[in-house]
Amino acid sequence: MSTTSRIHNFSAGPAVLALPVLEEAQRDLLSLPGVGMSVMEISHRSKAFEDLLGRAIEDIRALADIPANYKILMLQGGATLQFSMVPMNLLAADGVADYIDTGSWSGKAIKEARKVGTINIAASTKADKYTSIPAQQDLTLTPGAAYAHITTNNTIEGTAWTALPDVGDVPLVADTSSEMFSCPIDISRFGLVYSGAQKNLGPSGVTLVIIREDLLERTSDALPSMLNYKLHVENNSLYNTPNTFGIYILGLTVRWVRSLGGLPAVAAINQRKAEKVYNEIDRSGFYRGTARKDSRSLMNVTFRLATEELEKMFVKESTVAGLDGLRGHRSVGGMRASIYNAFPEAGVDALVEFMREFERARG
Ligand code: PMP
């Protein structure tokens, strides 16, 4: 398949990858330069792989200016395993963890944390169908909580925090799966961030975890080894066989983001891309954005039409027009355009053109 036949992929994840990354991986698939074997065929204990992992970690550290007292891990089990690992490692039997419930994925994080310990819901926007992010004055935080958990970007509902909540000295823990490295992130504001790779970072099967060193003191040796952050840190993510190919693609992706000029540069592109779609949504009233304007995500743009029948037509006709994956999550309906870092601006322009044409024909 030639690159020109690639269609516009609006999938929420696994999602579109950067073309230069795919091309490099394709070029080196049979033989990594200087290695003579595919990245999938070498030992994770080989110097070649350790160099590759080391470089990926260095690039991540440089890209987000991550302070030296934060450890960078590449784990497995997706963001979903982090829903359990976070409380298992950080929440003591007599402690309380605050969770801010802003969407389906926050809800799943809460469900798993409840199996481990005591949870306080510091705020929830469930009553307004998760269309907004709570204000600081709406948070009921627990003094001395073990940590406070947020989901920075709500993939399904299309909302995002535009400013982090103030949780005082309590470590802020964030699921950043659907917006990691789409804009600058001040890691020093967090105790831990985790991110399934399959949206902005690479393929599925790798989870990036960044953890502040002092929090490792909380982990208990009684935890199963694979669920113990400290053990993963001590073994530089090589306690067992990691997803070597996934880490390789993640490394290439992070390098690609750096080559674009880093996080401020991609943030400017992402802002412009999202504005184009939101401007179209707001232009005439034919489309209706589902997120409250002050809570809109730049990564997942969710919108509806007047009837479900029109929405079905929109999805069907957009697919025929080469715009794939615009159907919203099955739990909320409507449409969702996921426009992560690697989603090209030309695809956004094609969507806006399609929206105009659809409105002209059906409006
Ligand atoms: N958190 C968020 C914000 C997500 O978008 C997703 C996946 N869509 C998950 C968690 C679950 O990730 P995984 O499938 O990697 O476990």
Side-chain angles (χ1 to χ4, degrees):
M1 190 194 233
S2 75
T3 51
T4 50
S5 64
R6 279 169 64 81
I7 60 173
H8 294 303
N9 174 7
F10 291 91
S11 169
V16 59
L17 288 166
L19 197 54
V21 167
L22 292 176
E23 284 169 344
E24 184 171 341
Q26 182 185 46
R27 198 184 60 231
D28 294 344
L29 186 68
L30 299 186
S31 169
L32 274 181
V35 177
M37 296 173 273
S38 159
V39 67
M40 287 178 281
E41 302 168 304
I42 58 174
S43 166
H44 60 298
R45 310 264 174 225
S46 64
K47 179 165 178 343
F49 184 75
E50 287 203 359
D51 286 353
L52 192 149
L53 173 63
R55 185 164 177 203
I57 288 173
E58 268 172 42
D59 277 312
I60 291 169
R61 201 173 282 287
L63 177 67
D65 207 7
I66 297 173
N69 63 327
Y70 284 77
K71 301 295 183 188
I72 299 169
L73 295 173
M74 313 266 192
L75 305 181
Q76 299 186 58
T80 301
L81 187 59
Q82 296 309 306
F83 297 165
S84 301
M85 277 179 77
V86 165
M88 288 172 99
N89 282 267
L90 305 185
L91 179 55
D94 58 353
V96 178
D98 283 340
Y99 277 74
I100 304 179
D101 177 26
T102 53
S104 313
W105 291 111
S106 307
K108 290 199 165 140
I110 290 164
K111 180 177 161 210
E112 296 306 315
R114 279 206 167 111
K115 297 177 186 174
V116 179
T118 309
I119 303 305
N120 166 54
I121 306 299
S124 174
T125 52
K126 197 171 187 171
D128 77 0
K129 295 200 174 126
Y130 294 131
T131 53
S132 66
I133 296 295
Q136 182 71 32
Q137 67 266 23
D138 297 330
L139 308 181
T140 315
L141 297 164
T142 310
Y147 60 86
H149 181 283
I150 62 168
T151 312
T152 55
N153 184 84
N154 300 284
T155 324
I156 293 176
E157 296 81 6
T159 63
W161 290 80
T162 49
L164 293 176
D166 180 1
V167 295
D169 290 337
V170 169
L172 187 60
V173 171
D175 175 357
T176 58
S177 293
S178 46
E179 69 163 23
M180 194 60 176
F181 298 157
S182 66
C183 58
I185 176 166
D186 180 359
I187 292 289
S188 71
R189 299 273 316 265
F190 298 91
L192 185 153
V193 307
Y194 62 90
S195 198
Q198 65 271 21
K199 294 143 200 317
N200 261 330
L201 305 176
S204 59
V206 192
T207 312
L208 176 65
V209 176
I210 304 174
I211 180 167
R212 210 177 63 206
E213 225 165 26
D214 59 285
L215 294 175
L216 296 169
E217 286 161 21
R218 297 192 194 177
T219 66
S220 153
D221 291 342
L223 283 175
S225 299
M226 283 300 285
L227 304 181
N228 185 328
Y229 289 129
K230 199 162 148 204
L231 204 70
H232 287 299
V233 166
E234 285 165 1
N235 289 278
N236 190 30
S237 302
L238 295 172
Y239 179 72
N240 77 328
T241 317
N243 178 353
T244 51
F245 186 75
I247 290 171
Y248 163 69
I249 299 289
L250 187 147
L252 295 183
T253 302
V254 170
R255 220 162 301 145
W256 169 74
V257 174
R258 291 191 74 191
S259 77
L260 296 179
L263 299 181
V266 290
I269 299 168
N270 287 330
Q271 180 80 37
R272 195 170 66 220
K273 279 163 33 188
E275 261 170 26
K276 284 184 176 180
V277 187
Y278 283 121
N279 285 343
E280 186 55 28
I281 288 172
D282 294 339
R283 192 175 52 79
S284 73
F286 182 70
Y287 299 98
R288 178 171 58 81
T290 53
R292 207 172 70 190
K293 282 190 182 174
D294 65 358
S295 303
R296 282 175 163 177
S297 164
L298 301 186
M299 296 286 100
N300 311 100
V301 179
T302 49
F303 57 99
R304 303 214 64 150
L305 282 162
T307 65
E308 283 187 20
E309 202 190 343
L310 266 180
E311 291 175 346
K312 274 196 194 120
M313 273 195 270
F314 185 97
V315 170
K316 198 166 155 208
E317 290 175 25
S318 59
T319 307
V320 172
L323 309 176
D324 193 73
L326 285 165
R327 188 196 303 276
H329 191 271
R330 59 189 187 281
S331 63
V332 294
M335 271 81 64
R336 169 175 57 173
S338 296
I339 48 174
Y340 302 119
N341 285 350
F343 188 88
E345 192 158 351
V348 168
D349 295 336
L351 170 62
V352 168
E353 200 184 305
F354 177 82
M355 288 169 77
R356 290 209 175 156
E357 184 51 33
F358 189 84
E359 179 178 347
R360 202 192 51 73
R362 316 274 174 181

